[in-house]
């Protein structure tokens, strides 16, 4: 397995509210774990929301005796959601905080994926395919046929999300499982990448044969910043079926 992970503050923000967690080694009963979280909230609340939610998630996964990856991840996300709500109620400075989250674990030939919000997971082989579905106002409008993809990309309300950790007492999580093939690359990212770099350009960079994985990750971040870097950027790239390991 080869892995790259990074966050970048971008060109417009003063604080980085994105957070990533990467472990090629087992976390509890999961053989590995990868998480991208994009926090929201004033002052330091978004920064706290993303990092604290991931810390709670990882801690709960470590303690969980279950071996079913979906059940383990579901329980951990639900616990993190409760904790974020409770922290926001205790501290006035944290009121209204929340975070998106996309989580994956690779078990043999399969990836198990959970997401809340608009942080994404893609599979890239001969072409790029978005696996997760954004929980956003604009994406709902696309599903209803009110907008096309290009209109959605440039819509002024594209950053309004409809689900997040910390928003409601019960969190509605989407789960996906997918069979991985030799040559697959997994891309997990916050909307600071997906809003700034079109899918075809991400595909072009990831499929580039003359770059190592670290160079591809750096190129994706550079491209987002060249296009305006309007938000924090978080990226995890995973090549599941390689023997060489490169952590960045």
């Amino acid at each position: 397995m080869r892995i790259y992970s990074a966050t970048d503050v971008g060109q417009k923000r003063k604080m980085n509210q994105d957070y990533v967690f990467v472990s090629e080694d087992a976390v509890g009963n999961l053989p590995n774990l990868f998480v991208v979280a994009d926090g929201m909230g004033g002052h330091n609340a978004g920064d706290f929301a993303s990092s604290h939610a991931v810390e709670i998630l990882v801690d709960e996964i470590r303690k969980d005796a279950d071996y079913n990856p979906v059940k383990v991840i579901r329980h951990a996300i639900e616990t993190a959601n409760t904790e974020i709500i409770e922290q926001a109620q205790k501290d006035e400075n944290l009121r209204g905080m929340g975070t998106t989250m996309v989580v994956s674990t690779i078990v043999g030939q399969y990836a198990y994926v959970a997401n809340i919000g608009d942080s994404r997971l893609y599979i890239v082989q001969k072409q790029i395919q978005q696996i997760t579905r954004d929980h956003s106002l604009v994406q709902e409008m696309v599903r209803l046929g009110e907008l096309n993809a290009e209109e959605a990309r440039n819509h002024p309300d594209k950053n309004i999300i409809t689900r997040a950790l910390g928003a409601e007492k019960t969190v509605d999580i989407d789960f996906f499982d997918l069979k991985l093939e030799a040559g697959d690359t997994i891309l997990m990212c916050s909307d600071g990448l997906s809003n700034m770099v079109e899918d075809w350009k991400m595909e072009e960079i990831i499929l580039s044969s003359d770059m190592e994985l670290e160079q591809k990750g750096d190129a994706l971040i550079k491209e987002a910043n060249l296009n305006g870097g309007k938000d924090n950027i978080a990226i995890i790239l995973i090549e599941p079926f390689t023997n060489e390991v490169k952590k960045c």
Side-chain angles (χ1 to χ4, degrees):
M1 186 180 290
R2 189 181 288 125
I3 305 161
Y4 168 98
S5 65
T7 65
D8 189 271
V9 72
Q11 300 295 302
K12 304 295 184 182
R13 302 290 177 90
K14 294 181 179 179
M15 178 178 290
N16 193 344
Q17 298 186 333
D18 285 3
Y19 192 86
V20 300
F21 176 88
V22 170
S23 177
E24 186 196 351
D25 299 322
V27 178
N29 289 331
L30 298 184
N32 45 64
L33 184 63
F34 309 97
V35 189
V36 170
D38 179 359
M40 65 199 104
H43 305 293
N44 66 339
D47 174 50
F48 179 81
S50 58
S51 61
H52 191 56
V54 174
E55 288 166 7
I56 297 297
L57 175 101
V58 173
D59 189 51
E60 289 299 313
I61 289 172
R62 285 196 177 111
K63 296 186 296 186
D64 201 318
D66 207 311
Y67 282 89
N68 182 310
V70 173
K71 289 182 179 178
V72 171
I73 293 170
R74 181 188 297 280
H75 174 258
I77 291 174
E78 289 172 345
T79 303
N81 182 66
T82 300
E83 178 69 15
I84 291 298
I85 290 171
E86 289 178 355
Q87 289 287 335
Q89 290 171 342
K90 291 176 186 175
D91 188 340
E92 184 66 35
N93 292 323
L94 301 178
R95 291 284 166 87
M97 72 173 174
T99 185
T100 71
M101 188 176 284
V102 58
V103 183
S104 68
T105 186
I106 298 166
V107 184
Q109 299 286 317
Y110 287 85
Y112 296 90
V113 183
N115 88 291
I116 310 100
D118 60 358
S119 293
R120 295 179 176 178
L121 184 142
Y122 295 86
I123 289 289
V124 187
Q125 195 179 59
K126 293 180 180 178
Q127 61 184 21
I128 192 166
Q129 179 186 2
Q130 182 180 339
I131 301 301
T132 55
R133 292 189 295 266
D134 295 353
H135 305 137
S136 67
L137 179 65
V138 166
Q139 195 56 46
E140 291 297 332
M141 294 167 76
V142 171
R143 288 186 196 121
L144 293 170
E146 297 172 5
L147 294 175
N148 62 36
E150 186 60 30
E151 289 169 335
R153 184 167 195 83
N154 298 300
H155 199 281
D157 294 331
K158 67 181 179 182
N159 292 323
I160 298 175
I161 61 174
T162 54
R163 295 190 212 171
L165 270 77
E168 303 285 346
K169 288 184 179 180
T170 56
V171 60
D172 189 6
I173 311 163
D174 281 357
F175 284 93
F176 307 87
D177 59 86
L178 54 147
K179 192 170 192 292
L180 300 171
E181 306 289 344
D184 282 351
T185 300
I186 296 170
L187 166 63
M188 299 169 65
C189 65
S190 64
D191 66 343
L193 180 71
S194 57
N195 280 344
M196 291 289 102
V197 184
E198 294 195 44
D199 285 8
W200 68 266
K201 185 63 177 178
M202 291 193 279
E203 176 187 292
E204 180 182 89
I205 291 170
I206 292 170
L207 292 178
S208 175
S209 59
D210 60 350
M211 288 195 289
E212 295 294 326
L213 194 67
E214 179 180 356
Q215 294 172 307
K216 293 176 183 181
D218 291 345
L220 288 168
I221 290 173
K222 182 179 180 181
E223 188 71 20
N225 281 322
L226 285 173
N227 291 341
K230 294 179 181 178
D231 202 349
N232 307 144
I233 306 154
I235 296 179
I236 299 173
L237 285 171
I238 309 161
E239 292 177 347
F241 304 125
T242 55
N243 294 322
E244 180 186 351
V245 176
K246 183 181 290 183
K247 292 184 180 179
C248 309

